[in-house]
Each structure stands twice: as C-alpha cells, then as structure tokens.
Amino acid sequence: MPMRRSSSHARLESAVLIALTILLVFTTGHPFYPRSHGASSVSSPTSTYTLSWMGYDWDGAREETLKLNGHFLASLPTADSPQNSGLYTSFSLDISSLVVSGSNTLTFAHASWDCGTVDNVKNLEIDNQTGVVFKSSTVDPLSCTQSLTYDFNAATSSGPGGGSNSMYAMSWMGYDWDGTGEETIALNGQFVTSLPSAASPQNSATYSSFSLDISSHVVQGSNTLSITHANWDCAVSDNVKGFQISNQTGVIFSSSTVDQLGCTQSLTYHFDTTSSGSSGGGGGGGGGGGNSGSVPILIGWGGVRLDEAAVGGGVHQPSSPTPSAVFAGESATNMELLLSKLKPLGYNIVKVSFDPSCTGSQFMSSYSATNLQRAIQIAQHFDFWIVVDYHGFTEPFTPATSSCWLNFWSGVVSQFKNSYSKIIWEPEDEPKYGFSGSACSGASACVSYLSNQYQKWINQARSLGDNHWIVVENICSFGCSLCPGGDGACPAAASGFPIVTDPLGTLSQGGRIFISLHTYMDYGSYSSSWNDATAESVAQQYYQAMLGGASKTGWPILDTESGASPLCGSCAPDTVLTGNAGYTVVTFHFVQTLTSFLDSNTAQRINWVNWPAGSWTDTPNAGIYGAMQCSSSPEGWGCALQFKST
C-alpha cells in the first residue's frame, strides 16, 4: 500500500521531457511499431480508401498533423474551431492517393504550442469498397508527448507471402451475436467479414454457431486473427467459445476458454500453419498458465482485503444484495462484485491482501485459509489471475521474523499449490529496511540481504512442488536512499531489485519470477515542482528503473502496486479526491503517463496492478470499489484511466 516514505526533498532542477519518438500505438488487440518508409514510392491503388475518426478537443488551427507512409496528409482542423473545445468531433479523409499495396503506417502528431489538453482519438476506421480494412476500438491519447501510430494492410486477399494452398475453416459459437455487422473479423490485418450479415434477433442472449472459410487469408507460418465489437452496442459482452481452426488434416488451433468480447475488449488468436498444434490463445480471456518461458500479459487492480471474499467482509457493503454467481444461495461478495465490474473492462488480474502473521497487523484483514479458498474460487470463476499478497514490510530483515515468515508461507503454499494455475505469490508487499533491530544497514547491504531471504522463500516453495509465479519486490517500493525522491524514480533504483534464481530454470527454461517496483508520486518529495512536467519525468524515471531491473535480473516485470495517491491525504493544492483512493490533477497525469509507457513497451507490454479498488478506503463515496467507483462525483481516478486492455 502507499506509505509516507522518509524521503529526501531535493528539488528536481528540470523535468525530463518524454521523447516524442516514443510512439504509443493502439490497435485492435496488438501494438505495431513504425518502420522507415523513406524510400517507398507512393502508388495509387485501384481501391478508394477512406479514413474516419472522432477527435477530442481538436479546436486549434492545424493543431494535429497526419502523415501516411511518411508523407504529409493533412493538418487539422484547417482553421480555428473553438466549437470543438472539450468535445468529440467527427473527421474523415480520402487517403487513397497515399495508400500503398501491402503495409501502411498512419501517424498523428500534436502541435507543441497547445499542450494543455490531451486531444484523444477514438472510433478510428479505414474502409474501402469491400468493407472495413482497419478499426481501432480504443480511445487513444494524443498529446505533445504522445504521438499515435496505426499500421494497416492494403494487400490483396491472398495476404503476405502469397497465401496458402490448404483449405482452412474457422468455427465458433458467439454469444449475443444479434446485430447487423456487430462483430468484425480480420486475419493478418486484412478485413475478412462483419457478422451477423443481417439483424438476427434470434441470437439475442444465446450462443449461436458460426463458421467461415478463411483459406484465402491464411499465410504460411504465423497468423493473427482478431475479432472486434462494434461500438454502437455495448450493453452486452458478446462472448466467443468453442473457437477452432481446422484444415484437411484436422484441428490446428483451438481455444478451450470462454473469451469475452466487448466494446473495450477485443479478441486476438495466434495460430501457426507450419505445426499441427496451436501456437497461442485467446487475447481477451487473460492467458493461461503459460508454457515454459511464456510470460502472461496482466493488468488489473489490488487493494482487495482477503475477507472481501466472504459475505459481509470488508468495511463498506453494497447498498443492496446481489445473488452470487460463484456460491449458490449466497449474496455476491465485495470481491465478486469488483471482478464482475473489472472483467468487461479488459482487466484480468486482482491482488488480494491479508495482514502479516509474524509482525503487527495492518488493516487488510487477518489470514484465513477458508477465505483464501473462496478468493481463489472467485478469481477462477472470472478467469482472473490472483496475486496472493502477504501485506507486510519488515519480516525478512530479522532472523526471528524471517523464520516465522518462511514457516507461515510453507503451510499456505503446501495447501494451495495445486488449487489453481493462475495464482501468483507475493511473499512480502513492501520490504522495509533500516529500522532498529534490522539485520542490515544501508540500501546496498540490505538489497543483498533481501536477495538471500527471497532465495530461501523461492527454494522452499519449489521444494514443496509449487511452480506458480513469484513476485520479488524492489527495496525502494517502501522507500530507499538510492533516488533523490526517496522512492524508485531514478535509474539507480534498478540496483534495488533483489537478485534471485529459480530452481525451475531461467525464464526461457520455465522459471517463473516477476520483479516489482511500486510506483507513486509523493507530494512530500516533489512539492517544489508540482506540475505535469514533473509528473512525466517521474513516470519516465520509474519506467527506466524497471527496464534496467529487467535487464539486470533477467526477469519480467509485474508492477503490483501503482496509484495516483499523493501519499499525504489532502496536502496537495490540486487535490480532486482525498483519502487512500484519492488523487490530484498532477498524480493522475503521472499514473496516466506511466500506464502509457508500460502498455507500449516494445518487447512486451509491462504488467501492472493499480491500487486501490477495495472497500476499506476513506475516500468520500468510494464505497466498495475504491478508486474504481465510477458513479460518484467526482468519479474515482481508475474510471478515467486510459489503457490498453488484454
């Protein structure tokens, strides 16, 4: 949880500007990154291509510049348009003359003279005579520090590489596929079809069978199939199940999950025509336990107390009971209600916390094996990963509490090691060193000491036969002397990650270790330069520390706690909401900037868990949802956060 850290109050002399070359790319399910088109010749295709979108706050003359394949397309609006201020406005362009056969890259850039507002883009679509060529279902932030790039393919129907001689059929069952063209299917970036082809009220709120011949779009090797939902019918999630792709020899890909498809959650399936088995899974369902060396993509929320898995648990309670979908005859618990809220939004992981057993209690409820079993069942019902968080601080740093800590976890791991594949153990929430009686002194010595303690924990878990993912926390997550702000927002914080090995092997061999660095912008550390530029600098510094840690340790990142709290109640002059789930204008800009960095990381997006979405917070009107309370005024900051769903 966010704590008031004992930090240095050094003034940041200058804010680090975030490079405009970092392009955040929001596409239907997958990021693409720009390539050089400097030597490309522009040829006019036989088709007519139309680009349409809605722009938020596009009000200044030539405020936004569009390019296609490196060539100037337009600067819009063409004149000052004050009527567009603070509103979405529709735009469209004929881009036919600049479209080339094959891969195309469209870019949006924001003028540097009007940086006060993020000028979003939504409902971006490219069409030709045959239908939709490309569509983005996300709201994509465009600003002075954040350009946009979209890749689309204008190739012939055989696709790159000349297509395939085999016959490939795709079949599935779609839930509530009832509106004309409600779902759009694309393969390898090419439009395949929109279904149903006509209004089908008989399909409402029921599963219906579909099949397609996709042979002309399949290529040899890796293929990517995406399904997106129209934005004009968002009331129901139109699930997909029983999805499979077959050729003459049999099934080459199948998904055994029920994959949720909605306005904020597209689906992506990967399959390979060079092998007999599947090469990937549904992009909307949250990934599976993972093959050796695979890293799941995870985004979600924490701050859920363990007792919120029980009826009546937590602090605040729902205003009226709702029947449980998990436990027959019971009312839905706070945790169940939260996950039912998060699932349609594209989240797929929850962090559930309990008080330490070996030191003084906190406020996350005591440990209960019964409640943990219930929490796991709720997570499994929604196909969520679950971080099991021992919400302690000092346990590893004295011999007595370390021994107690290891013994406690031995019992938990032994009991639940075979219960659910999507458990992630978090042995210690925020390691805190430097207290009276600590076995080490100073950040560097205590990182070494902490590394040894984590290694004992990992070795114990593996000796018990457990093979779940394990989170190893940076020593700066509570507070450290490595960075000027007393946090982890500097490159030196990469040295705060403990160095551990996994008896299962390295990452490529099947090792399952995540490293984590908790990320907040403390008003006490940055009050002398409390503005958006500093927020962007702090976000950039955290991001660089994470990248440095991943490079140093060889393990992927799961940031298990990130938030918009200024860590000081209502101290900041721009406070929007007070309390543990509160935020300020500047801290929201910080967490939005950091989220954009993590979502667009080029190797693989960086996993994150925001904090808090629990019933215990003291934020006005937050109720059982904390920062995800969207019906209050002002709403929780999580409701306004723009992110790329799984």
Side-chain angles (χ1 to χ4, degrees):
M1 65 159 288
M3 301 294 296
R4 296 186 185 181
R5 301 182 177 89
S6 174
S7 58
S8 164
H9 292 255
R11 178 185 180 95
L12 293 180
E13 295 297 334
S14 63
V16 178
L17 296 178
I18 302 172
L20 289 173
T21 53
I22 299 176
L23 300 178
L24 297 187
V25 183
F26 294 85
T27 66
T28 306
H30 278 281
F32 296 85
Y33 296 91
R35 296 178 292 276
S36 172
H37 292 273
S40 298
S41 61
V42 179
S43 59
S44 298
T46 57
S47 296
T48 298
Y49 289 84
T50 302
L51 166 68
S52 61
W53 72 99
M54 296 189 74
Y56 179 80
D57 201 64
W58 287 41
D59 57 349
R62 296 174 295 281
E63 189 172 356
E64 329 291 345
T65 298
L66 285 70
K67 291 184 178 182
L68 184 58
N69 300 322
H71 298 274
F72 175 80
L73 187 61
S75 286
L76 296 173
T78 55
D80 283 334
S81 305
Q83 69 276 13
N84 297 350
S85 178
L87 298 171
Y88 277 102
T89 306
S90 296
F91 294 86
S92 65
L93 284 173
D94 183 346
I95 60 173
S96 307
S97 63
L98 293 179
V99 174
V100 298
S101 180
S103 178
N104 290 260
T105 298
L106 172 70
T107 61
F108 288 65
H110 187 287
S112 60
W113 46 261
D114 183 17
C115 299
T117 303
V118 177
D119 297 355
N120 301 341
V121 171
K122 72 175 182 179
N123 299 346
L124 185 136
E125 185 172 310
I126 298 170
D127 305 276
N128 64 8
Q129 298 97 319
T130 62
V132 179
V133 175
F134 174 87
K135 177 185 289 186
S136 173
S137 59
T138 59
V139 176
D140 303 331
L142 172 63
S143 68
C144 292
T145 59
Q146 186 168 333
S147 303
L148 293 175
T149 299
Y150 302 89
D151 279 18
F152 66 95
N153 201 311
T156 59
S157 61
S158 61
S164 169
N165 294 323
S166 298
M167 298 295 293
Y168 290 90
M170 163 183 161
S171 61
W172 71 99
M173 296 190 73
Y175 180 81
D176 201 63
W177 286 41
D178 58 348
T180 305
E182 189 171 356
E183 328 293 345
T184 297
I185 298 171
L187 183 56
N188 300 321
Q190 295 181 285
F191 173 80
V192 176
T193 190
S194 289
L195 294 172
S197 55
S200 305
Q202 70 276 12
N203 296 351
S204 179
T206 188
Y207 278 101
S208 305
S209 296
F210 294 86
S211 62
L212 278 177
D213 182 346
I214 57 173
S215 306
S216 63
H217 298 275
V218 173
V219 298
Q220 276 299 109
S222 178
N223 290 259
T224 299
L225 186 138
S226 63
I227 306 176
T228 56
H229 187 287
N231 60 14
W232 45 260
D233 183 17
C234 300
V236 179
S237 293
D238 296 356
N239 302 343
V240 171
K241 72 175 182 179
F243 182 91
Q244 69 176 32
I245 295 172
S246 310
N247 64 5
Q248 299 97 318
T249 63
V251 176
I252 65 166
F253 174 89
S254 65
S255 173
S256 60
T257 59
V258 176
D259 300 327
Q260 199 159 40
L261 173 64
C263 290
T264 60
Q265 185 169 341
S266 57
L267 291 176
T268 301
Y269 300 96
H270 302 280
F271 64 96
D272 197 319
T273 58
T274 61
S275 62
S276 59
S278 65
S279 63
N291 295 324
S292 176
S294 66
V295 181
I297 295 175
L298 307 169
I299 59 169
W301 283 83
V304 179
R305 289 174 28 151
L306 183 58
D307 67 351
E308 292 186 64
V311 177
V315 177
H316 297 100
Q317 299 301 317
S319 56
S320 58
T322 301
S324 174
V326 184
F327 303 106
E330 292 186 9
S331 296
T333 66
N334 287 353
M335 180 181 172
E336 180 180 340
L337 292 172
L338 175 64
L339 266 58
S340 66
K341 179 186 183 75
L342 297 179
K343 177 77 172 180
L345 298 177
Y347 295 108
N348 68 347
I349 186 171
V350 62
K351 175 174 172 174
V352 179
S353 305
F354 54 87
D355 284 346
S357 298
C358 301
T359 55
S361 64
Q362 304 296 324
F363 53 89
M364 299 307 291
S365 79
S366 60
Y367 175 76
S368 161
T370 299
N371 285 347
L372 181 53
Q373 178 61 52
R374 289 175 62 91
I376 291 170
Q377 287 179 257
I378 295 170
Q380 190 166 14
H381 175 82
F382 290 97
D383 193 29
F384 262 51
W385 291 75
I386 178 171
V387 178
V388 179
D389 165 39
Y390 183 100
H391 207 74
F393 307 103
T394 61
E395 282 77 7
F397 292 107
T398 74
T401 55
S402 174
S403 176
C404 173
W405 176 65
L406 289 169
N407 288 337
F408 167 83
W409 270 113
S410 175
V412 175
V413 171
S414 296
Q415 182 173 356
F416 291 101
K417 64 183 179 182
N418 297 318
S419 61
Y420 183 43
S421 64
K422 294 185 178 180
I423 291 173
I424 299 173
W425 304 120
E426 186 164 32
E428 190 80 354
D429 180 57
E430 290 181 348
K432 177 186 176 183
Y433 71 99
F435 56 93
S436 177
S438 173
C440 61
S441 177
S444 296
C446 287
V447 171
S448 177
Y449 189 89
L450 183 62
S451 298
N452 183 57
Q453 297 303 304
Y454 268 124
Q455 193 64 63
K456 290 179 181 178
W457 197 103
I458 294 165
N459 292 345
Q460 173 180 273
R462 298 308 187 221
S463 70
L464 294 170
D466 178 81
N467 64 354
H468 290 96
W469 287 89
I470 300 166
V471 176
V472 172
E473 197 69 46
N474 193 301
I475 204 167
C476 297
S477 289
F478 187 95
C480 72
S481 61
L482 297 177
C483 298
D487 52 18
C490 73
S495 299
F497 288 104
I499 302 298
V500 298
T501 59
D502 190 341
L504 296 178
T506 63
L507 180 64
S508 63
Q509 295 169 334
R512 293 186 173 185
I513 304 295
F514 281 123
I515 59 172
S516 174
L517 171 61
H518 291 181
T519 48
Y520 294 92
M521 186 176 178
D522 187 344
Y523 182 75
S525 298
Y526 302 104
S527 59
S528 62
S529 55
W530 192 252
N531 53 47
D532 283 355
T534 301
E536 292 168 5
S537 172
V538 174
Q540 171 80 308
Q541 295 297 310
Y542 271 123
Y543 174 58
Q544 293 301 325
M546 291 182 193
L547 296 182
S551 176
K552 180 179 179 180
T553 66
W555 300 115
I557 302 158
L558 169 60
D559 179 4
T560 60
E561 212 176 289
S562 182
S565 170
L567 305 182
C568 61
S570 59
C571 60
D574 58 335
T575 296
V576 180
L577 278 173
T578 61
N580 291 284
Y583 66 104
T584 78
V585 173
V586 168
T587 57
F588 179 75
H589 189 72
F590 156 74
V591 78
Q592 181 63 77
T593 303
L594 180 62
T595 300
S596 298
F597 281 139
L598 303 186
D599 282 355
S600 63
N601 189 58
T602 53
Q604 177 176 317
R605 64 184 298 178
I606 293 174
N607 297 323
W608 49 263
V609 176
N610 283 333
W611 181 280
S615 71
W616 52 270
T617 73
D618 56 352
T619 296
N621 302 313
I624 66 172
Y625 297 121
M628 278 301 297
Q629 174 57 266
C630 302
S631 61
S632 61
S633 182
E635 65 182 5
W637 65 265
C639 308
L641 185 71
Q642 296 176 358
F643 64 96
K644 186 168 57 179
S645 65
T646 55

